[in-house]
Amino acid sequence: MTQPQSEDTGPDLIYLNNAATTWPKPPGVLEEVAACLRVPVHEAGRTTGRGSTDYPSAARDALAAFFHAGPPEHFIFTQNATDSLNLLIHGFVKKTGKPFHTITTQLEHNSVLRPLTTLEQDGAITLSVVPFTDNTVSLAAIKEAVCPETRLVVMNHGSNVLGSVQDIKPIAEYLHANDIFFIVDGAQTAGHIPVDLADIPLDAFVFTGHKALFGIPGIGGFFIREPGAVAITRQGGTGSDSQTLTQPGSMPERFECGTHNYPGIASIYAGIGFINTVGIQEIERTGTDLTGRFTRELKRTKGITLYNEKPDLPVVAFDIAGIDNQEVGFILARAYNIIMRTGLHCAPLVHKRIDGGKGCVRASFSYFTTPEEIGTAAAAIREVAESADR
């Protein structure tokens, strides 16, 4: 595997913050974005131009095939996963029309926790936060939290701190059987591991473009099985049914209005094309191999704490005894030109459990991370840990 060449990153930059945003991007993604910007935008029903790609339609078709779900118009484009979650959560609450009980988990990102906490403070919902055990949330824990008033469960598919993947299929089956709406945040899994929505009876699946789907920042979306379950919360131009002064209920116009982020949509389209060319199983295998190499190296050194020694995703959370995580990140960046992520990773409840809320260092890899970079980064971390021990 040859890593794409990039400019202006300084000598020998090692970028290990891919759980935030993947870098570098496949050359084909950058080329597709550039091609999109070189011609007038085109979308069926909105423009009359010819000769350019209808990126929204092409990307919806690609997403439907990639996630094994449809129809394609049930894939909605948004700014990012946070935007998607806000649309779905607030829209479901508005549609329900009266207070009800909601369940989420300690593994969640603030993109879930903050909307739900705000709604709880406003009296729109009551909220239960389910704990995790051995880095995952079990069906038994969800069942224990369910009560007759439960109408909504929101949880992630993969933890952005612990790298653990939740077994969402049995949870989805249980919730579906009990008529409880199930929103899954797939920001950390989409593009890293196979996701077959035809086999999982969830109600909405959220993805973002700029992580493992190799798109650019500013694009994300969601798949929704029954659009009528979520109320319209945004209104505006759609290029269709323009004589009507209310938002159309048809899809995808029910949830999309205004001018699309065409370069972003083009990047998702090309990113999925790249993943399909490489193969999602090969990408998953590469991530597993890189993660195993990294954790084995860190386990050899005294003073390093791994918060999940066997993550399912290429995400490794660790601390070095005697050095604040922010300082570790600063040293790695300045002395070794290695970029990782420090702090709470927008997931405060996870950190409250694993490190008392102090935060930690997170290394996260992509398909373009090389074994040589893993070895260099692990050696640098060991060197920092050994200096702290002296």
Side-chain angles (χ1 to χ4, degrees):
M1 176 182 59
T2 301
Q3 190 178 66
Q5 296 298 306
S6 300
E7 300 175 356
D8 301 325
T9 59
D12 303 317
L13 172 70
I14 297 177
Y15 179 83
L16 302 180
N17 191 23
N18 291 279
T21 297
T22 52
W23 181 89
K25 304 298 183 183
V29 169
L30 303 181
E31 291 163 7
E32 196 72 52
V33 171
C36 171
L37 292 170
R38 282 195 292 266
V39 296
V41 297
H42 172 74
E43 184 177 358
R46 288 189 181 228
T47 60
T48 57
R50 297 168 59 186
S52 58
T53 301
D54 177 358
Y55 282 110
S57 294
R60 288 188 223 278
D61 288 343
L63 286 162
F66 186 71
F67 289 116
H68 307 283
E73 57 267 24
H74 284 212
F75 281 88
I76 300 300
F77 294 116
T78 64
Q79 298 175 42
N80 45 47
T82 298
D83 192 36
S84 297
L85 288 160
N86 271 270
L87 278 170
L88 288 166
I89 291 168
H90 287 282
F92 183 80
V93 170
K94 180 181 178 181
K95 182 70 175 182
T96 303
K98 59 182 179 180
F100 59 86
H101 178 242
T102 299
I103 297 171
T104 192
T105 85
Q106 290 179 336
L107 289 175
E108 304 312 310
H109 190 277
N110 275 336
S111 55
V112 169
L113 296 175
R114 285 179 172 171
L116 292 179
T117 300
T118 298
L119 287 163
E120 181 185 34
Q121 291 174 344
D122 290 344
I125 64 170
T126 57
L127 182 63
S128 295
V129 180
V130 171
F132 59 89
T133 304
D134 296 329
N135 307 312
T136 60
V137 173
S138 67
L139 172 60
I142 296 292
K143 284 183 175 180
E144 188 175 346
V146 168
C147 68
E149 293 75 35
T150 305
R151 296 291 178 271
L152 175 65
V153 174
V154 189
M155 66 181 288
N156 68 47
H157 192 196
S159 168
N160 73 313
V161 177
L162 297 173
S164 51
V165 172
Q166 316 309 307
D167 187 6
I168 58 172
K169 182 179 178 180
I171 295 173
E173 290 171 342
Y174 170 77
L175 296 176
H176 180 73
N178 286 276
D179 196 26
I180 298 170
F181 199 79
F182 188 27
I183 301 171
V184 173
D185 175 7
Q188 292 296 329
T189 53
H192 274 305
I193 62 175
V195 178
D196 185 355
L197 296 183
D199 193 45
I200 305 169
L202 49 74
D203 296 288
F205 182 82
V206 169
F207 59 90
T208 196
H210 65 109
K211 299 184 192 290
L213 292 179
F214 293 112
I216 62 175
I219 189 67
F222 62 87
F223 168 75
I224 184 166
R225 215 171 288 279
E226 296 294 337
V230 175
I232 295 168
T233 57
R234 289 179 180 170
Q235 297 81 29
T238 58
S240 62
D241 197 19
S242 295
Q243 74 277 8
T244 303
L245 299 185
T246 56
Q247 191 72 11
S250 58
M251 292 292 281
E253 295 86 358
R254 181 181 181 88
F255 300 110
E256 292 180 355
C257 53
T259 301
H260 284 106
N261 177 359
Y262 289 95
I265 294 172
S267 75
I268 281 188
Y269 171 67
I272 290 175
F274 172 80
I275 294 168
N276 288 336
T277 298
V278 174
I280 187 67
Q281 287 80 12
E282 175 62 16
I283 288 174
E284 181 181 26
R285 186 202 65 76
T286 298
T288 300
D289 180 64
L290 293 170
T291 304
R293 287 172 182 258
F294 189 72
T295 55
R296 285 193 297 272
E297 289 293 320
L298 295 197
K299 282 192 285 188
R300 292 170 44 200
T301 305
K302 178 183 176 183
I304 295 179
T305 298
L306 288 171
Y307 291 107
N308 183 2
E309 293 189 359
K310 294 182 178 180
D312 305 302
L313 299 170
V315 176
V316 179
F318 68 94
D319 265 322
I320 296 176
I323 312 181
D324 181 77
N325 67 87
Q326 303 279 2
E327 186 176 355
V328 173
F330 180 82
I331 293 169
L332 290 172
R334 291 300 181 91
Y336 299 93
N337 207 21
I338 298 171
I339 305 300
M340 296 187 186
R341 179 75 180 269
T342 60
L344 296 176
H345 310 98
C346 300
L349 301 187
V350 179
H351 284 285
K352 187 175 180 180
R353 278 282 305 273
I354 67 174
D355 57 39
K358 296 179 303 217
C360 70
V361 186
R362 183 188 70 189
S364 50
F365 320 125
S366 89
Y367 178 72
F368 292 115
T369 306
T370 66
E372 292 76 19
E373 289 176 324
I374 292 292
T376 300
I381 294 165
R382 287 201 308 271
E383 194 169 287
V384 174
E386 288 165 358
S387 69
D389 193 44
R390 287 198 291 267

PDB file of all heavy atoms in Angstrom, residues 196-229:
ATOM      1  N   ASP A 196     -24.499  -4.088   7.609  1.00  0.00           N
ATOM      2  CA  ASP A 196     -25.582  -4.592   6.764  1.00  0.00           C
ATOM      3  C   ASP A 196     -26.913  -4.207   7.403  1.00  0.00           C
ATOM      4  O   ASP A 196     -27.423  -4.911   8.278  1.00  0.00           O
ATOM      5  CB  ASP A 196     -25.471  -6.106   6.606  1.00  0.00           C
ATOM      6  CG  ASP A 196     -26.501  -6.681   5.644  1.00  0.00           C
ATOM      7  OD1 ASP A 196     -27.366  -5.917   5.169  1.00  0.00           O
ATOM      8  OD2 ASP A 196     -26.448  -7.902   5.382  1.00  0.00           O
ATOM      9  N   LEU A 197     -27.499  -3.101   6.960  1.00  0.00           N
ATOM     10  CA  LEU A 197     -28.735  -2.616   7.565  1.00  0.00           C
ATOM     11  C   LEU A 197     -29.934  -3.476   7.182  1.00  0.00           C
ATOM     12  O   LEU A 197     -30.981  -3.395   7.834  1.00  0.00           O
ATOM     13  CB  LEU A 197     -28.976  -1.164   7.175  1.00  0.00           C
ATOM     14  CG  LEU A 197     -27.924  -0.167   7.674  1.00  0.00           C
ATOM     15  CD1 LEU A 197     -28.294   1.254   7.282  1.00  0.00           C
ATOM     16  CD2 LEU A 197     -27.740  -0.266   9.193  1.00  0.00           C
ATOM     17  N   ALA A 198     -29.794  -4.303   6.153  1.00  0.00           N
ATOM     18  CA  ALA A 198     -30.875  -5.223   5.813  1.00  0.00           C
ATOM     19  C   ALA A 198     -31.042  -6.291   6.883  1.00  0.00           C
ATOM     20  O   ALA A 198     -32.116  -6.897   7.006  1.00  0.00           O
ATOM     21  CB  ALA A 198     -30.603  -5.884   4.465  1.00  0.00           C
ATOM     22  N   ASP A 199     -29.998  -6.508   7.665  1.00  0.00           N
ATOM     23  CA  ASP A 199     -29.991  -7.569   8.676  1.00  0.00           C
ATOM     24  C   ASP A 199     -30.228  -7.038  10.081  1.00  0.00           C
ATOM     25  O   ASP A 199     -30.281  -7.827  11.024  1.00  0.00           O
ATOM     26  CB  ASP A 199     -28.630  -8.292   8.624  1.00  0.00           C
ATOM     27  CG  ASP A 199     -28.633  -9.584   9.407  1.00  0.00           C
ATOM     28  OD1 ASP A 199     -29.600 -10.363   9.272  1.00  0.00           O
ATOM     29  OD2 ASP A 199     -27.666  -9.815  10.165  1.00  0.00           O
ATOM     30  N   ILE A 200     -30.372  -5.708  10.225  1.00  0.00           N
ATOM     31  CA  ILE A 200     -30.506  -5.099  11.554  1.00  0.00           C
ATOM     32  C   ILE A 200     -31.752  -4.222  11.555  1.00  0.00           C
ATOM     33  O   ILE A 200     -31.785  -3.193  10.866  1.00  0.00           O
ATOM     34  CB  ILE A 200     -29.263  -4.248  11.902  1.00  0.00           C
ATOM     35  CG1 ILE A 200     -27.993  -5.084  11.790  1.00  0.00           C
ATOM     36  CG2 ILE A 200     -29.389  -3.661  13.303  1.00  0.00           C
ATOM     37  CD1 ILE A 200     -26.712  -4.259  11.869  1.00  0.00           C
ATOM     38  N   PRO A 201     -32.794  -4.569  12.308  1.00  0.00           N
ATOM     39  CA  PRO A 201     -34.051  -3.818  12.246  1.00  0.00           C
ATOM     40  C   PRO A 201     -34.042  -2.531  13.082  1.00  0.00           C
ATOM     41  O   PRO A 201     -34.959  -2.270  13.867  1.00  0.00           O
ATOM     42  CB  PRO A 201     -35.072  -4.829  12.777  1.00  0.00           C
ATOM     43  CG  PRO A 201     -34.300  -5.657  13.745  1.00  0.00           C
ATOM     44  CD  PRO A 201     -32.916  -5.777  13.157  1.00  0.00           C
ATOM     45  N   LEU A 202     -33.011  -1.707  12.896  1.00  0.00           N
ATOM     46  CA  LEU A 202     -32.991  -0.407  13.551  1.00  0.00           C
ATOM     47  C   LEU A 202     -33.874   0.565  12.767  1.00  0.00           C
ATOM     48  O   LEU A 202     -34.295   0.291  11.649  1.00  0.00           O
ATOM     49  CB  LEU A 202     -31.560   0.117  13.673  1.00  0.00           C
ATOM     50  CG  LEU A 202     -30.643   0.116  12.436  1.00  0.00           C
ATOM     51  CD1 LEU A 202     -31.025   1.203  11.452  1.00  0.00           C
ATOM     52  CD2 LEU A 202     -29.191   0.295  12.850  1.00  0.00           C
ATOM     53  N   ASP A 203     -34.119   1.736  13.350  1.00  0.00           N
ATOM     54  CA  ASP A 203     -34.992   2.711  12.701  1.00  0.00           C
ATOM     55  C   ASP A 203     -34.230   3.810  11.984  1.00  0.00           C
ATOM     56  O   ASP A 203     -34.705   4.336  10.968  1.00  0.00           O
ATOM     57  CB  ASP A 203     -35.931   3.319  13.747  1.00  0.00           C
ATOM     58  CG  ASP A 203     -36.863   2.282  14.327  1.00  0.00           C
ATOM     59  OD1 ASP A 203     -37.780   1.844  13.612  1.00  0.00           O
ATOM     60  OD2 ASP A 203     -36.658   1.863  15.490  1.00  0.00           O
ATOM     61  N   ALA A 204     -33.060   4.176  12.498  1.00  0.00           N
ATOM     62  CA  ALA A 204     -32.250   5.204  11.837  1.00  0.00           C
ATOM     63  C   ALA A 204     -30.785   4.922  12.121  1.00  0.00           C
ATOM     64  O   ALA A 204     -30.410   4.571  13.242  1.00  0.00           O
ATOM     65  CB  ALA A 204     -32.634   6.595  12.331  1.00  0.00           C
ATOM     66  N   PHE A 205     -29.969   5.103  11.087  1.00  0.00           N
ATOM     67  CA  PHE A 205     -28.521   4.883  11.194  1.00  0.00           C
ATOM     68  C   PHE A 205     -27.818   6.147  10.725  1.00  0.00           C
ATOM     69  O   PHE A 205     -28.037   6.617   9.606  1.00  0.00           O
ATOM     70  CB  PHE A 205     -28.083   3.694  10.347  1.00  0.00           C
ATOM     71  CG  PHE A 205     -26.617   3.369  10.447  1.00  0.00           C
ATOM     72  CD1 PHE A 205     -26.133   2.605  11.502  1.00  0.00           C
ATOM     73  CD2 PHE A 205     -25.716   3.825   9.493  1.00  0.00           C
ATOM     74  CE1 PHE A 205     -24.778   2.300  11.599  1.00  0.00           C
ATOM     75  CE2 PHE A 205     -24.367   3.535   9.579  1.00  0.00           C
ATOM     76  CZ  PHE A 205     -23.888   2.762  10.645  1.00  0.00           C
ATOM     77  N   VAL A 206     -26.946   6.673  11.587  1.00  0.00           N
ATOM     78  CA  VAL A 206     -26.255   7.939  11.327  1.00  0.00           C
ATOM     79  C   VAL A 206     -24.828   7.662  10.876  1.00  0.00           C
ATOM     80  O   VAL A 206     -24.143   6.801  11.435  1.00  0.00           O
ATOM     81  CB  VAL A 206     -26.260   8.808  12.600  1.00  0.00           C
ATOM     82  CG1 VAL A 206     -25.341  10.008  12.462  1.00  0.00           C
ATOM     83  CG2 VAL A 206     -27.685   9.248  12.926  1.00  0.00           C
ATOM     84  N   PHE A 207     -24.375   8.407   9.869  1.00  0.00           N
ATOM     85  CA  PHE A 207     -22.991   8.287   9.397  1.00  0.00           C
ATOM     86  C   PHE A 207     -22.430   9.682   9.171  1.00  0.00           C
ATOM     87  O   PHE A 207     -23.171  10.664   9.088  1.00  0.00           O
ATOM     88  CB  PHE A 207     -22.922   7.468   8.105  1.00  0.00           C
ATOM     89  CG  PHE A 207     -23.734   8.035   6.974  1.00  0.00           C
ATOM     90  CD1 PHE A 207     -23.191   8.950   6.073  1.00  0.00           C
ATOM     91  CD2 PHE A 207     -25.071   7.668   6.807  1.00  0.00           C
ATOM     92  CE1 PHE A 207     -23.949   9.480   5.036  1.00  0.00           C
ATOM     93  CE2 PHE A 207     -25.837   8.193   5.768  1.00  0.00           C
ATOM     94  CZ  PHE A 207     -25.266   9.106   4.891  1.00  0.00           C
ATOM     95  N   THR A 208     -21.117   9.769   9.095  1.00  0.00           N
ATOM     96  CA  THR A 208     -20.472  11.024   8.738  1.00  0.00           C
ATOM     97  C   THR A 208     -19.483  10.772   7.613  1.00  0.00           C
ATOM     98  O   THR A 208     -18.978   9.655   7.462  1.00  0.00           O
ATOM     99  CB  THR A 208     -19.785  11.673   9.948  1.00  0.00           C
ATOM    100  OG1 THR A 208     -19.504  13.045   9.648  1.00  0.00           O
ATOM    101  CG2 THR A 208     -18.511  10.953  10.344  1.00  0.00           C
ATOM    102  N   GLY A 209     -19.202  11.794   6.831  1.00  0.00           N
ATOM    103  CA  GLY A 209     -18.367  11.602   5.660  1.00  0.00           C
ATOM    104  C   GLY A 209     -16.883  11.687   5.918  1.00  0.00           C
ATOM    105  O   GLY A 209     -16.082  11.002   5.269  1.00  0.00           O
ATOM    106  N   HIS A 210     -16.478  12.513   6.882  1.00  0.00           N
ATOM    107  CA  HIS A 210     -15.062  12.891   6.982  1.00  0.00           C
ATOM    108  C   HIS A 210     -14.200  11.910   7.758  1.00  0.00           C
ATOM    109  O   HIS A 210     -12.997  12.104   7.873  1.00  0.00           O
ATOM    110  CB  HIS A 210     -14.937  14.283   7.609  1.00  0.00           C
ATOM    111  CG  HIS A 210     -15.401  14.354   9.036  1.00  0.00           C
ATOM    112  ND1 HIS A 210     -14.536  14.508  10.090  1.00  0.00           N
ATOM    113  CD2 HIS A 210     -16.642  14.288   9.577  1.00  0.00           C
ATOM    114  CE1 HIS A 210     -15.222  14.542  11.222  1.00  0.00           C
ATOM    115  NE2 HIS A 210     -16.501  14.405  10.928  1.00  0.00           N
ATOM    116  N   LYS A 211     -14.796  10.841   8.276  1.00  0.00           N
ATOM    117  CA  LYS A 211     -14.022   9.837   8.999  1.00  0.00           C
ATOM    118  C   LYS A 211     -13.690   8.680   8.041  1.00  0.00           C
ATOM    119  O   LYS A 211     -13.039   8.895   7.036  1.00  0.00           O
ATOM    120  CB  LYS A 211     -14.783   9.393  10.249  1.00  0.00           C
ATOM    121  CG  LYS A 211     -15.060  10.542  11.249  1.00  0.00           C
ATOM    122  CD  LYS A 211     -15.721  10.044  12.513  1.00  0.00           C
ATOM    123  CE  LYS A 211     -16.255  11.180  13.365  1.00  0.00           C
ATOM    124  NZ  LYS A 211     -15.186  11.990  13.983  1.00  0.00           N
ATOM    125  N   ALA A 212     -14.136   7.477   8.351  1.00  0.00           N
ATOM    126  CA  ALA A 212     -13.682   6.311   7.587  1.00  0.00           C
ATOM    127  C   ALA A 212     -14.329   6.164   6.213  1.00  0.00           C
ATOM    128  O   ALA A 212     -13.945   5.279   5.450  1.00  0.00           O
ATOM    129  CB  ALA A 212     -13.905   5.037   8.401  1.00  0.00           C
ATOM    130  N   LEU A 213     -15.297   7.018   5.869  1.00  0.00           N
ATOM    131  CA  LEU A 213     -15.809   7.019   4.500  1.00  0.00           C
ATOM    132  C   LEU A 213     -14.932   7.861   3.587  1.00  0.00           C
ATOM    133  O   LEU A 213     -15.205   7.972   2.390  1.00  0.00           O
ATOM    134  CB  LEU A 213     -17.261   7.521   4.467  1.00  0.00           C
ATOM    135  CG  LEU A 213     -18.296   6.605   5.123  1.00  0.00           C
ATOM    136  CD1 LEU A 213     -19.686   7.222   5.037  1.00  0.00           C
ATOM    137  CD2 LEU A 213     -18.295   5.219   4.483  1.00  0.00           C
ATOM    138  N   PHE A 214     -13.896   8.490   4.155  1.00  0.00           N
ATOM    139  CA  PHE A 214     -12.851   9.207   3.407  1.00  0.00           C
ATOM    140  C   PHE A 214     -13.346  10.453   2.684  1.00  0.00           C
ATOM    141  O   PHE A 214     -12.702  10.929   1.750  1.00  0.00           O
ATOM    142  CB  PHE A 214     -12.155   8.270   2.399  1.00  0.00           C
ATOM    143  CG  PHE A 214     -11.358   7.178   3.046  1.00  0.00           C
ATOM    144  CD1 PHE A 214     -11.747   5.852   2.944  1.00  0.00           C
ATOM    145  CD2 PHE A 214     -10.209   7.477   3.775  1.00  0.00           C
ATOM    146  CE1 PHE A 214     -11.004   4.839   3.537  1.00  0.00           C
ATOM    147  CE2 PHE A 214      -9.466   6.475   4.379  1.00  0.00           C
ATOM    148  CZ  PHE A 214      -9.858   5.155   4.258  1.00  0.00           C
ATOM    149  N   GLY A 215     -14.493  10.996   3.122  1.00  0.00           N
ATOM    150  CA  GLY A 215     -14.967  12.242   2.542  1.00  0.00           C
ATOM    151  C   GLY A 215     -14.295  13.440   3.184  1.00  0.00           C
ATOM    152  O   GLY A 215     -13.435  13.324   4.058  1.00  0.00           O
ATOM    153  N   ILE A 216     -14.710  14.632   2.739  1.00  0.00           N
ATOM    154  CA  ILE A 216     -14.162  15.862   3.289  1.00  0.00           C
ATOM    155  C   ILE A 216     -15.049  16.335   4.444  1.00  0.00           C
ATOM    156  O   ILE A 216     -16.199  15.909   4.570  1.00  0.00           O
ATOM    157  CB  ILE A 216     -14.039  16.951   2.208  1.00  0.00           C
ATOM    158  CG1 ILE A 216     -15.425  17.317   1.634  1.00  0.00           C
ATOM    159  CG2 ILE A 216     -13.099  16.491   1.098  1.00  0.00           C
ATOM    160  CD1 ILE A 216     -15.400  18.469   0.640  1.00  0.00           C
ATOM    161  N   PRO A 217     -14.543  17.221   5.304  1.00  0.00           N
ATOM    162  CA  PRO A 217     -15.372  17.742   6.397  1.00  0.00           C
ATOM    163  C   PRO A 217     -16.587  18.506   5.881  1.00  0.00           C
ATOM    164  O   PRO A 217     -16.562  19.111   4.813  1.00  0.00           O
ATOM    165  CB  PRO A 217     -14.417  18.670   7.150  1.00  0.00           C
ATOM    166  CG  PRO A 217     -13.052  18.167   6.837  1.00  0.00           C
ATOM    167  CD  PRO A 217     -13.143  17.677   5.416  1.00  0.00           C
ATOM    168  N   GLY A 218     -17.670  18.440   6.661  1.00  0.00           N
ATOM    169  CA  GLY A 218     -18.860  19.205   6.345  1.00  0.00           C
ATOM    170  C   GLY A 218     -19.964  18.425   5.674  1.00  0.00           C
ATOM    171  O   GLY A 218     -20.949  19.005   5.202  1.00  0.00           O
ATOM    172  N   ILE A 219     -19.838  17.099   5.642  1.00  0.00           N
ATOM    173  CA  ILE A 219     -20.882  16.272   5.038  1.00  0.00           C
ATOM    174  C   ILE A 219     -21.119  15.035   5.900  1.00  0.00           C
ATOM    175  O   ILE A 219     -20.190  14.440   6.440  1.00  0.00           O
ATOM    176  CB  ILE A 219     -20.522  15.859   3.582  1.00  0.00           C
ATOM    177  CG1 ILE A 219     -21.713  15.184   2.896  1.00  0.00           C
ATOM    178  CG2 ILE A 219     -19.285  14.985   3.560  1.00  0.00           C
ATOM    179  CD1 ILE A 219     -22.884  16.102   2.655  1.00  0.00           C
ATOM    180  N   GLY A 220     -22.382  14.689   6.057  1.00  0.00           N
ATOM    181  CA  GLY A 220     -22.774  13.492   6.788  1.00  0.00           C
ATOM    182  C   GLY A 220     -24.182  13.129   6.370  1.00  0.00           C
ATOM    183  O   GLY A 220     -24.680  13.606   5.344  1.00  0.00           O
ATOM    184  N   GLY A 221     -24.839  12.314   7.170  1.00  0.00           N
ATOM    185  CA  GLY A 221     -26.200  11.966   6.818  1.00  0.00           C
ATOM    186  C   GLY A 221     -26.763  10.875   7.684  1.00  0.00           C
ATOM    187  O   GLY A 221     -26.176  10.467   8.690  1.00  0.00           O
ATOM    188  N   PHE A 222     -27.926  10.395   7.284  1.00  0.00           N
ATOM    189  CA  PHE A 222     -28.549   9.285   8.002  1.00  0.00           C
ATOM    190  C   PHE A 222     -29.474   8.518   7.070  1.00  0.00           C
ATOM    191  O   PHE A 222     -29.942   9.042   6.049  1.00  0.00           O
ATOM    192  CB  PHE A 222     -29.310   9.760   9.244  1.00  0.00           C
ATOM    193  CG  PHE A 222     -30.464  10.706   8.987  1.00  0.00           C
ATOM    194  CD1 PHE A 222     -31.738  10.237   8.705  1.00  0.00           C
ATOM    195  CD2 PHE A 222     -30.273  12.073   9.064  1.00  0.00           C
ATOM    196  CE1 PHE A 222     -32.810  11.100   8.489  1.00  0.00           C
ATOM    197  CE2 PHE A 222     -31.328  12.964   8.853  1.00  0.00           C
ATOM    198  CZ  PHE A 222     -32.595  12.474   8.564  1.00  0.00           C
ATOM    199  N   PHE A 223     -29.704   7.266   7.436  1.00  0.00           N
ATOM    200  CA  PHE A 223     -30.724   6.442   6.788  1.00  0.00           C
ATOM    201  C   PHE A 223     -31.881   6.326   7.752  1.00  0.00           C
ATOM    202  O   PHE A 223     -31.682   6.089   8.952  1.00  0.00           O
ATOM    203  CB  PHE A 223     -30.185   5.056   6.459  1.00  0.00           C
ATOM    204  CG  PHE A 223     -31.260   4.077   6.066  1.00  0.00           C
ATOM    205  CD1 PHE A 223     -31.850   4.151   4.815  1.00  0.00           C
ATOM    206  CD2 PHE A 223     -31.691   3.097   6.947  1.00  0.00           C
ATOM    207  CE1 PHE A 223     -32.851   3.257   4.444  1.00  0.00           C
ATOM    208  CE2 PHE A 223     -32.690   2.200   6.590  1.00  0.00           C
ATOM    209  CZ  PHE A 223     -33.269   2.281   5.334  1.00  0.00           C
ATOM    210  N   ILE A 224     -33.091   6.491   7.244  1.00  0.00           N
ATOM    211  CA  ILE A 224     -34.275   6.343   8.090  1.00  0.00           C
ATOM    212  C   ILE A 224     -35.251   5.382   7.411  1.00  0.00           C
ATOM    213  O   ILE A 224     -35.547   5.496   6.215  1.00  0.00           O
ATOM    214  CB  ILE A 224     -34.936   7.703   8.389  1.00  0.00           C
ATOM    215  CG1 ILE A 224     -36.106   7.530   9.350  1.00  0.00           C
ATOM    216  CG2 ILE A 224     -35.350   8.434   7.103  1.00  0.00           C
ATOM    217  CD1 ILE A 224     -36.594   8.825   9.960  1.00  0.00           C
ATOM    218  N   ARG A 225     -35.745   4.426   8.193  1.00  0.00           N
ATOM    219  CA  ARG A 225     -36.600   3.392   7.608  1.00  0.00           C
ATOM    220  C   ARG A 225     -38.030   3.904   7.388  1.00  0.00           C
ATOM    221  O   ARG A 225     -38.627   3.688   6.337  1.00  0.00           O
ATOM    222  CB  ARG A 225     -36.601   2.157   8.514  1.00  0.00           C
ATOM    223  CG  ARG A 225     -36.680   0.862   7.758  1.00  0.00           C
ATOM    224  CD  ARG A 225     -36.467  -0.336   8.645  1.00  0.00           C
ATOM    225  NE  ARG A 225     -35.108  -0.521   9.114  1.00  0.00           N
ATOM    226  CZ  ARG A 225     -34.137  -1.071   8.401  1.00  0.00           C
ATOM    227  NH1 ARG A 225     -34.356  -1.465   7.165  1.00  0.00           N
ATOM    228  NH2 ARG A 225     -32.926  -1.210   8.917  1.00  0.00           N
ATOM    229  N   GLU A 226     -38.591   4.576   8.400  1.00  0.00           N
ATOM    230  CA  GLU A 226     -39.953   5.110   8.304  1.00  0.00           C
ATOM    231  C   GLU A 226     -39.906   6.613   8.532  1.00  0.00           C
ATOM    232  O   GLU A 226     -39.947   7.078   9.673  1.00  0.00           O
ATOM    233  CB  GLU A 226     -40.863   4.437   9.340  1.00  0.00           C
ATOM    234  CG  GLU A 226     -41.060   2.946   9.148  1.00  0.00           C
ATOM    235  CD  GLU A 226     -41.814   2.634   7.857  1.00  0.00           C
ATOM    236  OE1 GLU A 226     -42.536   3.528   7.356  1.00  0.00           O
ATOM    237  OE2 GLU A 226     -41.701   1.498   7.358  1.00  0.00           O
ATOM    238  N   PRO A 227     -39.803   7.407   7.482  1.00  0.00           N
ATOM    239  CA  PRO A 227     -39.632   8.854   7.637  1.00  0.00           C
ATOM    240  C   PRO A 227     -40.735   9.521   8.452  1.00  0.00           C
ATOM    241  O   PRO A 227     -40.488  10.510   9.156  1.00  0.00           O
ATOM    242  CB  PRO A 227     -39.631   9.368   6.194  1.00  0.00           C
ATOM    243  CG  PRO A 227     -39.214   8.192   5.372  1.00  0.00           C
ATOM    244  CD  PRO A 227     -39.764   6.999   6.062  1.00  0.00           C
ATOM    245  N   GLY A 228     -41.957   8.991   8.390  1.00  0.00           N
ATOM    246  CA  GLY A 228     -43.071   9.614   9.106  1.00  0.00           C
ATOM    247  C   GLY A 228     -42.936   9.578  10.606  1.00  0.00           C
ATOM    248  O   GLY A 228     -43.649  10.311  11.316  1.00  0.00           O
ATOM    249  N   ALA A 229     -42.016   8.773  11.133  1.00  0.00           N
ATOM    250  CA  ALA A 229     -41.828   8.702  12.585  1.00  0.00           C
ATOM    251  C   ALA A 229     -41.106   9.919  13.144  1.00  0.00           C
ATOM    252  O   ALA A 229     -41.094  10.137  14.359  1.00  0.00           O
ATOM    253  CB  ALA A 229     -41.052   7.434  12.941  1.00  0.00           C
TER     254      ALA A 229
END
